[in-house]
Amino acid sequence: MSAAPVVVLVGPMGVGKSTVGQQLAERLGVGYRDTDDDIVSEQGRTIAEIFVDEGEPAFRAIEKLAVRRALAEHDGVLALGGGSILDEDTRALLDGQRVVYLSMDVEEAVKRTGLNAARPLLAVNPRKQWRELMEARRHLYEGVATAVVATDGRTPEEVTQAALDALELKDA
């Protein structure tokens, strides 16, 4: 018997998938899982190190497997890495899932992440790169989403409640 997550969270780096995901899981009385955490545990190194050591294509291959496994195994709240939706097979696996796209604008991204160098895809000219990433990804996030929840100017608690409301889910 394969499990299916109650909710899958997608969105750009720094949008709050981990924080909101943990709160959603707590409120719904289910477990929380993050595919980025799975990758770090499995690989024994950070995502930034994988990018530097092996490059983005190698990381994306690792990520694709981690997402596939998590979608098959986890029946709670699942947060996916920001770029996981770039993969066509991953997007197909999300079809029929309850997916929340957590969105934010670039100014909010700057405030939240500082757009720092620990984010390998944003190492040079972070604002410009963030905008370009979002231009390339926004339609993919929207394409897999059951609901879109804006996070700009909202607390994690407000975003969590908005996600519950958007999906018509009740607290456990």
Side-chain angles (χ1 to χ4, degrees):
M1 172 181 137
S2 75
V6 176
V7 179
V8 179
L9 297 177
V10 299
M13 59 192 90
V15 76
K17 294 183 299 283
S18 298
T19 302
V20 170
Q22 289 167 6
Q23 288 188 12
L24 273 172
E26 191 174 304
R27 295 212 22 208
L28 293 169
V30 297
Y32 170 76
R33 184 167 173 177
D34 182 320
T35 57
D36 283 351
D37 293 343
D38 290 353
I39 292 166
V40 170
S41 294
E42 187 179 286
Q43 297 291 314
R45 55 197 166 140
T46 67
I47 289 170
E49 289 169 331
I50 298 168
F51 264 84
V52 169
D53 295 346
E54 298 181 40
E56 185 175 358
F59 171 76
R60 294 294 173 209
I62 293 166
E63 180 178 56
K64 178 178 179 173
L65 293 173
V67 169
R68 175 175 300 208
R69 188 167 46 248
L71 284 169
E73 295 172 356
H74 189 65
D75 61 2
V77 175
L78 178 63
L80 304 187
S84 61
I85 47 78
L86 294 170
D87 182 76
E88 189 177 341
D89 294 336
T90 295
R91 292 193 307 274
L93 289 173
L94 291 173
D95 190 37
Q97 301 277 351
R98 197 181 282 131
V99 180
V100 176
Y101 162 34
L102 298 179
S103 69
M104 69 179 168
D105 68 20
V106 70
E107 297 312 316
E108 188 79 8
V110 169
K111 276 191 273 185
R112 291 192 192 184
T113 66
L115 295 182
N116 60 36
R119 310 267 184 187
L121 289 178
L122 301 177
V124 181
N125 195 347
R127 280 176 190 245
K128 177 176 181 267
Q129 288 180 295
W130 195 87
R131 279 193 183 97
E132 288 172 359
L133 274 176
M134 284 310 298
E135 284 170 22
R137 296 178 180 180
R138 185 174 289 110
H139 72 284
L140 299 174
Y141 290 133
E142 291 170 350
V144 299
T146 309
V148 178
V149 175
T151 64
D152 306 278
R154 287 174 148 174
T155 65
E157 293 75 18
E158 290 168 333
V159 173
T160 300
Q161 187 59 54
L164 289 169
D165 292 345
L167 297 172
E168 299 179 355
L169 292 172
K170 304 287 179 233
D171 292 330

